[in-house]
Amino acid sequence: MVNQRFCAVCGKEKEQKQTGFGSICIYIECECEKKLREEKEKKDSDYALKTAVELRNNSSHLSLRGRNSSFKTAVTDKYNETAIRGGKYLLNQLMNGDTEDKKNGLILQGNRGSGKTYIACCVINDFNSSLPVTDERKRLIIKERDNSFSKNEFTPMKSPCKFISEMDLYSLFYDNFNYCKVNGPVDEFKSAEKLLVIDDVGSLNYDKNRMRDMYLNIIEYRYSECLPIMLTTNLTKLQLSDYLGDRVFDRLKSCCYFLDLISPESRRN
């Protein structure tokens, strides 16, 4: 209800209603004003929901291309059908909280361009989209928009899923890692509440022992805490075992499903 006597849309005089406070009366909202208000509220709500997902994806460290990935629009063919089913299975586990199963992780193996990273981004993006947004958060987003904040100035929203490439993880681990430090840059990824995705495993030609130490530290922790992990790689199982070391690979075999994405151009054995 509003107090204007005439409708701001159609100009007609509104119906009056007497209140319980003496001679005070109010004017009942016109139907066309009500329709306009409801349309604005829906538009604001849709904007708030979309922005909330964007803020979560920022927290997940998804690229712009990754934020546009979704199983809803994914094209399924005979080459990626099994991997997409695996990605949807992992997403369903995350959404239902069934992440303490013996196998709660996924390793996507395949040649370059086969869609491994896309599927990994689908899992995170669709999970972030599924999380509810409180009315309080919606109001804050609309307020910050109306105050002419840019999107990168909005109050951050934490996502329980993290995405990082092997190259970025290696740099972060060895540039910032401190065994005595907690809540450091590495811990944001290592302790991701729901899912950690490490992209392009096996893409670097760095010191093998340093690489194995990094993966042992991260994967051993997530394995012991029953936290899901997802890897994408061009390596075969044999190559991956040699790259990561027997101990790490044994942990991955215990907690992950291995799925192949082999496109027509693949020349893997």
Side-chain angles (χ1 to χ4, degrees), residues 217-241:
N217 181 278
I218 293 169
I219 291 175
E220 183 71 28
Y221 173 82
R222 295 194 68 81
Y223 175 82
S224 63
E225 296 296 322
C226 298
L227 295 172
I229 190 166
M230 185 174 184
L231 309 180
T232 72
T233 181
N234 298 331
L235 304 180
T236 64
K237 283 187 178 180
L238 185 61
Q239 292 169 333
L240 192 62
S241 176

Side-chain angles (χ1 to χ4, degrees), residues 15-29:
E15 180 183 352
Q16 296 185 36
K17 180 179 180 181
Q18 196 75 25
T19 67
F21 300 98
S23 60
I24 300 176
C25 67
I26 60 176
Y27 296 95
I28 299 176
E29 184 179 46

Side-chain angles (χ1 to χ4, degrees), residues 146-158:
D146 293 344
N147 287 336
S148 300
F149 284 27
S150 64
K151 287 276 184 79
N152 58 7
E153 294 176 312
F154 282 20
T155 303
M157 290 189 69
K158 183 180 178 182

Side-chain angles (χ1 to χ4, degrees), residues 115-140:
K116 304 180 299 298
T117 301
Y118 177 83
I119 293 174
C121 290
C122 284
V123 174
I124 293 182
N125 192 26
D126 285 358
F127 180 78
N128 284 339
S129 300
S130 73
L131 295 176
V133 181
T134 64
D135 291 338
E136 182 180 356
R137 171 57 75 164
K138 290 180 184 178
R139 286 192 292 269
L140 178 60

Side-chain angles (χ1 to χ4, degrees), residues 10 29 47 50 62 65 75 103 111-113 137 140-141 143 154 173 176 201 228 231 240 248:
C10 65
E29 184 179 46
Y47 173 86
K50 181 181 178 181
L62 286 184
R65 188 181 297 274
V75 177
K103 289 201 173 185
N111 57 303
R112 289 185 296 274
R137 171 57 75 164
L140 178 60
I141 289 173
K143 179 181 178 181
F154 282 20
F173 190 88
N176 297 280
V201 174
L231 309 180
L240 192 62
V248 172

Side-chain angles (χ1 to χ4, degrees), residues 3-228:
N3 290 321
Q4 288 83 1
R5 180 176 177 182
F6 297 96
C7 174
V9 180
C10 65
K12 293 182 179 179
E13 186 173 1
K14 300 177 187 176
E15 180 183 352
Q16 296 185 36
K17 180 179 180 181
Q18 196 75 25
T19 67
F21 300 98
S23 60
I24 300 176
C25 67
I26 60 176
Y27 296 95
I28 299 176
E29 184 179 46
C30 181
E31 281 299 318
C32 48
E33 277 188 335
K34 179 181 178 182
K35 180 180 179 181
L36 194 66
R37 174 180 58 78
E38 290 176 344
E39 288 176 352
K40 182 181 183 303
E41 288 175 351
K42 184 180 186 308
K43 186 176 180 180
D44 285 347
S45 178
D46 291 344
Y47 173 86
L49 289 172
K50 181 181 178 181
T51 302
V53 175
E54 291 176 5
L55 293 173
R56 288 189 183 122
N57 285 341
N58 285 341
S59 173
S60 296
H61 302 280
L62 286 184
S63 66
L64 179 60
R65 188 181 297 274
R67 295 170 203 170
N68 294 325
S69 304
S70 174
F71 286 123
K72 297 174 184 177
T73 55
V75 177
T76 305
D77 57 35
K78 63 181 180 180
Y79 303 108
N80 65 12
E81 181 180 2
T82 300
I84 285 182
R85 284 206 311 268
K88 289 181 177 179
Y89 170 78
L90 178 58
L91 174 62
N92 187 63
Q93 279 189 310
L94 297 175
M95 292 174 63
N96 294 327
D98 302 328
T99 55
E100 293 188 6
D101 291 348
K102 184 177 180 181
K103 289 201 173 185
N104 59 10
L106 200 62
I107 296 178
L108 298 183
Q109 301 170 282
N111 57 303
R112 289 185 296 274
S114 56
K116 304 180 299 298
T117 301
Y118 177 83
I119 293 174
C121 290
C122 284
V123 174
I124 293 182
N125 192 26
D126 285 358
F127 180 78
N128 284 339
S129 300
S130 73
L131 295 176
V133 181
T134 64
D135 291 338
E136 182 180 356
R137 171 57 75 164
K138 290 180 184 178
R139 286 192 292 269
L140 178 60
I141 289 173
I142 298 303
K143 179 181 178 181
E144 291 176 334
R145 180 202 64 184
D146 293 344
N147 287 336
S148 300
F149 284 27
S150 64
K151 287 276 184 79
N152 58 7
E153 294 176 312
F154 282 20
T155 303
M157 290 189 69
K158 183 180 178 182
S159 171
C161 302
K162 302 296 177 185
F163 179 98
I164 190 168
S165 69
E166 181 181 76
M167 180 180 293
D168 289 339
L169 183 62
Y170 186 89
S171 298
L172 194 66
F173 190 88
Y174 283 109
D175 288 348
N176 297 280
F177 192 71
N178 184 331
Y179 284 95
C180 299
K181 186 177 181 180
V182 294
N183 298 324
V186 175
D187 287 327
E188 177 188 359
F189 297 91
K190 176 180 174 180
S191 307
E193 184 182 339
K194 283 289 185 179
L195 177 67
L196 171 62
V197 173
I198 305 177
D199 192 38
D200 280 338
V201 174
S203 61
L204 302 181
N205 191 27
Y206 292 165
D207 180 85
K208 182 179 289 188
N209 290 327
R210 284 168 64 86
M211 192 65 71
R212 288 179 173 181
D213 287 344
M214 178 187 77
Y215 278 114
L216 179 61
N217 181 278
I218 293 169
I219 291 175
E220 183 71 28
Y221 173 82
R222 295 194 68 81
Y223 175 82
S224 63
E225 296 296 322
C226 298
L227 295 172

